[in-house]
Amino acid sequence: MSALPQSLSPSNPPRPATSPATARAWWRAVQPLAWTLLVVASAWVAGRALQLDAGSDAGYWIGVAGGAAMLALFVYPLRKRVPALRHLGATRHWFVFHMLMGVAGPWLILVHCNFRIGSMNAAVALFSMLIVAASGVVGRYLYGHVHRGLDGRHAELAELRAKLEATHEKLAVSLSLAPLVRERLFGFEQAALTAPAGNALALLWASARAARSARHDVRSLIDQALAAAPQTLEAKRRRQIRAHWRRQTTLHIEQTLGVVQLRAWERLFALWHVLHLPFVYVMVACAIAHVVAVHAY
């Protein structure tokens, strides 16, 4: 296969199909909402089936169980901050326990009140709990972008950059017969890595749009590069080269996007921490006031 012409340029490039990476990204985005709706719906069904009243014996003890589950949420942050507790089990297991209690607690409280709001004190306690639960869902989504798995290991920006740079030489050799593909790929990387941080949400949006555009252009340039190849190249070999180039370029674009967006996710996660703690304090204060009011009056 001879060197391809330098004058190739995309002309009405076809719209690429949704890649598996894009599908996984969409699922990660909607997964917290899907689980939240499932928890709320199941609590509504359970409450209607049992026809509970918060003042009944069953309703009272379900409320106690829900309150205990919410208190158990504090075991995970205490385990991280108290040196004596850090050796009690793996971080992954404690985080899973934290998430389970974060689901079980609100579910039991919703069943306890059967989606009915009584006194003003109960209403404030309920809505503060729902705010904390919703904040936890958002935090879990952000956590997944700045940590690897559930073991608490933070993704390192320097490590991601090193992996990205390690692919340069391999891509330069692999795409030597498609110089415009290589030029577009490395151009996207340079522009993305030098983009100003600015607003975290704006950076996420702009980098995602730039990545989509780069995938679009690269696929078109690959097709045109192969179209300009010698006619003696077998059709099977063309398909193999196309698949190989697409895998390499898609991986490189995803790696570049990961490096760029990690900065934005870290900023959002730090901001979430600042906002989440006041909600937790309000929830605890309201829960204590609710318990005292129930037993005193």
Side-chain angles (χ1 to χ4, degrees), residues 12-237:
N12 298 323
R15 185 174 182 174
T18 303
S19 66
T22 303
R24 287 194 298 270
W26 274 106
W27 170 239
R28 285 198 302 269
V30 302
Q31 191 176 20
L33 178 60
W35 282 110
T36 301
L37 293 176
L38 179 61
V39 169
V40 173
S42 62
W44 185 86
V45 171
R48 291 296 181 272
L50 297 174
Q51 290 297 314
L52 286 176
D53 181 80
S56 65
D57 288 343
Y60 173 81
W61 287 110
I62 289 176
V64 170
M70 297 302 290
L71 284 176
L73 290 172
F74 292 95
V75 175
Y76 175 67
L78 282 175
R79 191 260 181 192
K80 291 195 302 180
R81 288 169 174 79
V82 178
L85 300 178
R86 291 177 185 171
H87 302 292
L88 298 178
T91 302
R92 175 188 179 89
H93 299 149
W94 284 103
F95 187 64
V96 171
F97 174 77
H98 183 74
M99 289 192 296
L100 289 176
M101 291 301 100
V103 172
W107 190 88
L108 289 168
I109 296 299
L110 289 174
V111 175
H112 157 73
C113 69
N114 201 6
F115 288 82
R116 290 195 295 266
I117 300 174
S119 64
M120 178 62 70
N121 174 267
V124 174
L126 175 64
F127 283 114
S128 64
M129 181 211 67
L130 293 177
I131 291 173
V132 170
S135 174
V137 172
V138 174
R140 174 63 187 93
Y141 177 72
L142 296 176
Y143 181 97
H145 285 279
V146 297
H147 292 80
R148 296 178 178 177
L150 302 179
D151 57 0
R153 190 160 64 92
H154 194 284
E156 297 294 339
L157 185 60
E159 183 180 351
L160 293 180
R161 279 183 174 271
K163 287 184 177 181
L164 181 64
E165 293 173 359
T167 64
H168 286 182
E169 184 176 352
K170 184 178 179 180
L171 281 172
V173 174
S174 178
L175 298 174
S176 60
L177 300 180
L180 288 184
V181 175
R182 186 176 68 248
E183 180 182 339
R184 179 67 177 92
L185 193 65
F186 290 162
F188 162 73
E189 177 190 333
Q190 183 179 8
L193 296 181
T194 57
N199 181 277
L201 292 176
L203 178 60
L204 289 172
W205 175 256
S207 59
R209 289 187 61 184
R212 285 196 299 268
S213 176
R215 292 190 200 99
H216 190 146
D217 294 345
V218 163
R219 283 175 176 265
S220 177
L221 289 168
I222 287 174
D223 291 339
Q224 292 194 36
L226 289 172
Q231 297 300 318
T232 55
L233 189 65
E234 296 179 358
K236 181 179 179 180
R237 181 57 179 160

